[in-house]
Amino acid sequence: MNDRRHNFNAGPAALPLEVLRQAQEEFVNCGGAGMSVMEMSHRSAAYERINDETQSLMRELLNIPDRYHVLFLQGGASTQFAMVPLNLLTAGTVAAYIETGSWSTKALKEAKIVGEAVVAATSKPDEFRRMPDVSDLAIPERAAYVHITSNETIQGTQFKSFPDTGDVPLVADMSSDIMSRPIDVSKFGIIYAGAQKNLGPSGVTVVIIRDDLVGRAPEHVPTMLRYETHVKDRSLYNTPPTFSVYMMGLVLKWIKAKGGVAAIEKENAEKAALIYDEIDRSGGFYVGFAHPDFRSPMNITFRIANEELEPLFVKESEKEGFVGLKGHRSVGGLRASAYNAVPLESCRALAEFMADFRRRHG
Ligand SMILES: *Cc1c(COP(=O)(O)O)cnc(C)c1O
């Protein structure tokens, strides 16, 4: 355990040590099958069990109503940027995007390749330091859907409440905060998330889709990119990322054992507060990037007022056993990603390191 780092990577990110240990134990003989999960046929009863169980856990933990399907796909959240418009943005309709940072901008770009897409609200004039007011959205007529990014991983901002889009389906990229807090799934048409931040290793993307949104893709959309293909075959149309789904199942069991999503939310708030408190009490030595009302508990973004100290901060932190604290290359600065699996002790250690660094260099 002592050779494990304090892992603040943005994704792929920390996994629970208990989960890694269990996977290690089952690595060559999974559940008594006499083989690893990677060697099983995806058509075998043993793998079907893993697929079904992981799906049930997802439903249970997020309280997903029956009229939604839970899919395990490949291609990452980035493929969903295209798959959502390919399936929903049909002729004569327009897609409305809430522009809040790097990831929503990428999602919008893909939608524009597919069809007509507009920005319904933006926080670009505020350098994406906050989420825009979505309490009274101007949703265009003919809107096929409204798209939001619940948590902007690079800017470190999070929506604290979601817009009411009436009959227009709300589509959310929740890649960096799924399972970190309870959500009301019934408010959404589609929720998607790459697993590698909060749910498991990379390689699997979770899509939660309301039944009436399945089967809308125009004829020219290829089979693999149509939601109904994966609904019909319960995510087993082609070879699924079996090891990733298995690992995700173990992570979901770990979340359940910790008391579910509400308990996780409480711990996440505690973890993030340790670091934000140090920023706030630093007397301007550290400067948070996000407006306090929209601070993400998942991705804590900040700068050192004297930016020249940032490379030294990263270097010293690495010597002390921390990884992943350099900000995204597109925005610079520093970032600590404290996803579900990052232990409270790591956040406490980071807050202490930050205070110590401030005392030595302030
Ligand atoms: C990481 C991330 C993505 C990209 O995910 P991939 O699985 O690498 O395609 C998209 N959206 C958000 C919010 C992310 O954090």
Side-chain angles (χ1 to χ4, degrees):
M1 172 123 191
N2 289 340
D3 53 0
R4 297 266 302 163
R5 303 293 171 92
H6 294 300
N7 187 347
F8 290 95
N9 279 334
L15 287 166
L17 183 61
E18 298 94 309
V19 165
L20 295 172
R21 288 237 194 279
Q22 188 181 346
Q24 183 178 43
E25 219 162 85
E26 297 180 336
F27 198 67
V28 295
N29 188 354
C30 184
M35 64 188 84
S36 90
V37 65
M38 289 172 286
E39 300 167 291
M40 284 177 191
S41 164
H42 62 293
R43 307 286 175 208
S44 66
Y47 184 73
E48 289 242 355
R49 242 190 335 270
I50 291 170
N51 190 54
D52 290 351
E53 196 182 7
T54 307
Q55 204 200 93
S56 304
L57 278 164
M58 189 74 71
R59 285 187 174 280
E60 181 186 338
L61 290 168
L62 284 180
N63 205 5
I64 301 174
D66 287 345
R67 64 182 189 283
Y68 288 77
H69 305 276
V70 177
L71 308 177
F72 301 146
L73 307 183
Q74 298 188 66
S78 300
T79 295
Q80 293 309 306
F81 292 169
M83 219 164 138
V84 167
L86 281 170
N87 282 266
L88 300 188
L89 188 50
T90 48
T93 66
V94 52
Y97 278 70
I98 316 293
E99 188 186 42
T100 49
S102 306
W103 288 116
S104 53
T105 301
K106 283 196 168 168
L108 171 63
K109 181 172 163 250
E110 290 303 296
K112 283 182 171 166
I113 292 172
V114 175
E116 189 185 347
V118 298
V119 173
T122 180
S123 55
K124 200 172 184 177
D126 300 307
E127 302 169 299
F128 297 133
R129 287 172 188 272
R130 54 182 300 131
M131 293 307 199
D133 180 10
V134 288
S135 59
D136 191 20
L137 267 188
I139 301 174
E141 265 179 69
R142 307 184 288 122
Y145 61 89
V146 174
H147 181 282
I148 62 165
T149 305
S150 58
N151 185 84
E152 283 283 3
T153 322
I154 293 174
Q155 281 73 23
T157 52
Q158 187 187 51
F159 274 106
K160 304 301 172 182
S161 60
F162 296 106
D164 178 1
T165 54
D167 290 339
V168 179
L170 181 60
V171 176
D173 175 3
M174 292 197 185
S175 293
S176 50
D177 69 351
I178 193 163
M179 286 281 169
S180 71
R181 55 174 172 172
I183 44 160
D184 180 357
V185 172
S186 72
K187 284 190 171 161
F188 298 87
I190 297 178
I191 293 169
Y192 64 88
Q196 68 272 21
K197 282 134 190 174
N198 258 332
L199 296 177
S202 60
V204 59
T205 309
V206 175
V207 174
I208 301 165
I209 181 168
R210 206 174 60 210
D211 190 54
D212 63 295
L213 300 176
V214 177
R216 291 193 179 189
E219 260 172 46
H220 64 79
V221 175
T223 310
M224 272 296 284
L225 298 176
R226 309 173 74 91
Y227 287 123
E228 71 257 32
T229 301
H230 304 288
V231 167
K232 200 166 141 272
D233 279 327
R234 298 175 304 117
S235 305
L236 294 167
Y237 171 75
N238 72 323
T239 317
T242 50
F243 186 72
S244 299
V245 171
Y246 157 79
M247 286 294 290
M248 188 163 69
L250 296 187
V251 170
L252 296 180
K253 278 183 209 160
W254 174 82
I255 292 175
K256 188 175 168 180
K258 278 184 84 87
V261 182
I264 287 275
E265 179 187 40
K266 200 161 155 270
E267 191 175 315
N268 284 335
E270 229 177 291
K271 281 154 51 182
L274 287 167
I275 301 163
Y276 282 122
D277 285 352
E278 167 53 26
I279 293 171
D280 291 341
R281 79 165 85 87
S282 72
F285 182 84
Y286 297 113
V287 184
F289 178 80
H291 185 286
D293 292 350
F294 300 95
R295 282 175 166 177
S296 165
M298 300 283 97
N299 310 100
I300 299 154
T301 48
F302 58 103
R303 303 214 64 134
I304 299 178
N306 176 2
E307 290 177 17
E308 283 171 16
L309 286 172
E310 287 171 356
L312 184 66
F313 179 97
V314 172
K315 201 169 144 216
E316 285 193 10
S317 73
E318 284 169 358
K319 248 192 281 172
E320 296 296 317
F322 297 93
V323 288
L325 294 172
K326 198 166 186 273
H328 191 271
R329 61 191 185 281
S330 63
V331 295
L334 302 162
R335 171 175 59 172
S337 297
Y339 298 122
N340 288 347
V342 174
L344 183 71
E345 302 80 67
S346 288
C347 295
R348 186 169 292 127
L350 176 59
E352 280 165 14
F353 170 79
M354 287 170 68
D356 183 56
F357 186 89
R358 162 167 62 84
R359 282 183 213 109
R360 287 185 288 113
H361 298 282

